[in-house]
Amino acid sequence: MAEHEAGDPHRPPPAAAGGTPDPARGGPAGEVAGGTGGDAGGAVPDGRGARGGEGDQGARGDGRRAVLALACAAQFMVILDVSVVNVALPSIKDSLGFDAVALQWVVGAYAIAFAGLLLLGGRLADLYGRRRVFLCGLALFSLSSLVGGLAGAPGVLIAMRAVQGLGAAVLAPATLTILTTTFAEGQGRTRALATWTAVSSAGGAAGNLIGGVLTQSLSWRWTLLINAPIGLLTGLLALRLLPADRAREAARRLDVPGAALATTGVTGLVFGVTQAERHGWAGPATLAGLGGGALALAGLWWVEARHAGDPLIPRALLRAPGVRVGNAVMLLAGACFIPMWYFLSLYMQDVLRYGALATGLGFLPHTLAGIVAARLAPLAMRRVGARALIVASALLAAGGFLWQSALGPHSDYVTGLLGPALVMSTGMGLLITPITTTVTSGVAPDAAGAASGLMNAARQVGGTFGLAVLVSVAGTAAGAVAGYQRAFQTIAALCALVAALAAALPPSPPARATDPRPAPDDDPPDPPGATGASR
């Protein structure tokens, strides 16, 4: 059904005009929530193969592959900057005269702004247009990287890291929204999301390696400055590749109270959790952040349920079981996988005495295994279905983390890191694509940004909470090595919980072994004289 709505000429029309109820669309399956298929972020035919209505999903095969590469490049930048400065922190401290308390905000300012503004960033793409919001987020991210890289004082660097986080919060949901509105549901979208997932995993893992190389060979400043030329090139390509946005409908306005409460709530929670790492869960700053965040989110629920005409998170979106349960699974998955890099980095540097560059190189197997697994995820989904793959891959990752918990002060690289890395990174690589597919399936085009922002926020908030909890758990052990062991044992238990929760997802049968219809990203060439509007 979704493929037919997207304008795919290879799909048969619906059997009946009314269709069947679709909770993600707020009405019959053939009806888009909010009116017609054209949203504020839609596209008009521009001579490059875009179709009317859904616009983006009608792009030709080559054009869509270029859009996929563009979205992946932007996502790589965003995820890379979560970790790229980690190994550069000692150099930053010496260069700008940071004290120990202020230094943590070089990382914290980015993380808090990024997580806190993702819900707002996702909705902006729905209301103001995908290309427009993508370019605005990219400009914020790139310019703040340039100013941050040239900073001569601690306050300037921290402020620019916060602006980077704001740009990332606008940019990251836009990349996913562009993909889900460019590729119709089916094998084409699944393959696109698998590539996007693989690039995201590579960005997270490559941050330590790239940061180490740049810091050691050039300067810590290049961990930020490198984003400026990449951002400029990406922006020029976006102007060329992304269809123009439609004029915004006057009736659709940003839910300002909801946006303010969502931003305050998520930011407060993330701030409170980051303070728990330093001051404990009973510290005043921790309690103020957690309490204020919870109060703001309660206010968000009340405003959205009773007063918002065009809610920040559309009500129909939250009625879909795949969205509700899928985001809960993504939150737990973030709590497992994001903290992994933190503990492994500390173990390699503090216990095995690896330098910054050696630590970055040590993460290469994690990166490669995750990329290969993510690319294999669509094939596995066609054979067993998304839900079964989530359960199996979560259990595989749990086994890898249990193996990793056997590390010791005298472990060698092969048995202490390489073996566990291949198992748990394969599990992680297989897991994220089916979750992403589940939470974005059946979503109306004019709610795609909200769905993307919600999923990204769930993952980042889960990672932040998971790290704080795991740091506390590790701190109760006698000695650093015992703490790392306990942390990985806890992550293994969380992975098992992911598998259990995934059982509540809607069933997704495997695809038929033989499907005569071409995948959405394999459209045949246009016949002579055909135009995008006529397809």
Side-chain angles (χ1 to χ4, degrees), residues 22-88:
D22 186 341
R25 299 179 184 272
E31 180 181 321
V32 176
T36 65
D39 63 80
V44 293
D46 64 350
R48 293 195 296 273
R51 298 175 189 145
E54 299 294 334
D56 295 12
Q57 291 185 2
R60 293 172 182 170
D62 289 345
R64 287 194 285 183
R65 281 188 285 270
V67 170
L68 172 61
L70 175 71
C72 287
Q75 180 70 3
F76 183 84
M77 290 173 59
V78 168
I79 300 301
L80 181 76
D81 267 62
V82 175
S83 59
V84 72
V85 301
N86 286 347
V87 296

Side-chain angles (χ1 to χ4, degrees), residues 104-105 112 270-281 285-286:
Q104 67 170 323
W105 288 104
I112 291 173
V270 174
F271 173 79
V273 168
T274 58
Q275 294 307 296
E277 297 177 28
R278 295 182 58 83
H279 305 294
W281 291 99
T286 304

Side-chain angles (χ1 to χ4, degrees), residues 340-341 365-367 369-371 373-374 397 420-430:
M340 179 195 77
W341 308 109
H366 302 77
T367 305
I371 291 173
L422 296 178
V423 177
M424 61 191 182
S425 295
T426 299
M428 289 189 295
L430 290 171

Side-chain angles (χ1 to χ4, degrees), residues 277-308:
E277 297 177 28
R278 295 182 58 83
H279 305 294
W281 291 99
T286 304
L287 294 177
L290 295 177
L295 187 63
L297 290 179
L300 173 66
W301 177 83
W302 184 75
V303 167
E304 299 292 278
R306 295 178 179 270
H307 298 286

Side-chain angles (χ1 to χ4, degrees), residues 117-190:
L117 293 161
L118 276 167
L119 289 174
L120 173 60
R123 194 56 171 156
L124 289 176
D126 292 331
L127 298 180
Y128 297 100
R130 290 178 280 276
R131 185 170 83 158
R132 186 178 297 115
V133 169
F134 179 92
L135 289 170
C136 287
L138 184 64
L140 271 177
F141 187 87
S142 303
L143 289 173
S144 57
S145 296
L146 177 62
V147 177
L150 299 174
V156 175
L157 179 57
I158 291 173
M160 288 303 101
R161 286 287 286 170
V163 178
Q164 263 192 308
L166 168 61
V170 174
L171 188 57
T175 65
L176 184 56
T177 305
I178 286 169
L179 291 187
T180 58
T181 53
T182 298
F183 293 85
E185 288 187 31
Q187 294 181 18
R189 180 187 289 185
T190 301

